[in-house]
Amino acid sequence: MINADAPLPEDLFAALPGEDAVLGHAIAVNGDRWQDALSTRGLPPLQGALAGPGVTKVSRGDVFELGGREITPPNAFQLLYYSLAWGLGGRAPRLHQRLNALAAHQDRAGELLVDAWQAVRNGESAQDVYGVLTTDRGAGRIPWLGPAFSTKFLYFAQGQDVPPRYLILDQVVAHNLSDVWPGAPKAAWFPDTYARYCAVAGSWAEQATERLEGSRKVRADEIEFVLFKRG
């Protein structure tokens, strides 16, 4: 279990990148590959930058922009595509399996994504928001969309206009939290575990803000960003 009372680690504080670095964190994505894969499966086509030819860089800020849009099933699919494309990167491992599962459960997936996005917009607890897309045992309610990718969707669904509360949790972040989370599982995190993780990251952001004596407010996703790159 995560030690909720752990102080902000010194190496994380020293490495805080600032808001611009987080929002500018960009990944190169092969739009042609995504367009072909979606078309083959009869899934809604891509819109925006990834609908163009060749390789396009997609930043966190770009995906956050989608999270601020009207909550509709078509917009939810675009937000999912961009969240996945950013998270999977150029190699896009197991893209076909993920999209096969999405196509096989398209209507149900659309409902769940809209419900999760609405829960984010309503400011519900991290545990409840996470539970829309993840079972009590930590399995994805949409096949092949487990916690590592559902938390990316939740994260970007917050949009740019609010400080992020719901953060990305994947096996890299969990592994790099081992000093305050001994024996952290690599996947299938329970909803209360996700809530505890978000609370710890939020607490560390507050501690960092205090240590900076008000010179700027540290975002919670700066903590996640540094954890991902830690070690």
Side-chain angles (χ1 to χ4, degrees), residues 174-199:
H175 174 77
N176 289 339
L177 269 169
S178 59
D179 51 346
V180 298
W181 191 4
K186 293 183 178 180
W189 303 284
F190 298 168
D192 61 333
T193 301
Y194 177 71
R196 189 178 288 263
Y197 156 69
C198 290

Side-chain angles (χ1 to χ4, degrees), residues 46-87:
L46 275 164
Q47 300 172 8
L50 289 180
V55 174
T56 301
K57 284 197 172 181
V58 177
S59 71
R60 292 194 189 212
D62 295 331
V63 190
F64 269 132
E65 191 277 328
L66 296 174
R69 296 184 178 181
E70 181 184 2
I71 300 175
T72 65
N75 285 347
F77 274 98
Q78 296 302 314
L79 179 57
L80 177 65
Y81 294 159
Y82 276 77
S83 299
L84 284 172
W86 178 86

Side-chain angles (χ1 to χ4, degrees), residues 87-107:
L88 290 169
R91 290 180 55 249
R94 301 183 179 88
L95 176 61
H96 296 300
Q97 293 93 325
R98 299 180 201 282
L99 295 184
N100 284 342
L102 188 63
H105 303 85
Q106 187 172 337
D107 291 342

Side-chain angles (χ1 to χ4, degrees), residues 1-9 12 124-128 130 158 164-169 173 177 180-181 190-208 218-221 223-224 227:
M1 182 175 292
I2 301 173
N3 179 4
D5 298 320
L8 171 65
L12 296 191
E124 296 180 20
S125 71
Q127 182 167 335
D128 288 345
Y130 181 83
Q158 296 169 102
R165 296 175 51 206
Y166 318 112
L167 305 174
I168 296 169
L169 178 59
V173 172
L177 269 169
V180 298
W181 191 4
F190 298 168
D192 61 333
T193 301
Y194 177 71
R196 189 178 288 263
Y197 156 69
C198 290
V200 168
S203 172
W204 284 353
E206 291 175 0
Q207 291 175 45
V218 175
R219 293 164 55 105
D221 54 355
I223 302 295
E224 171 266 311
L227 282 169

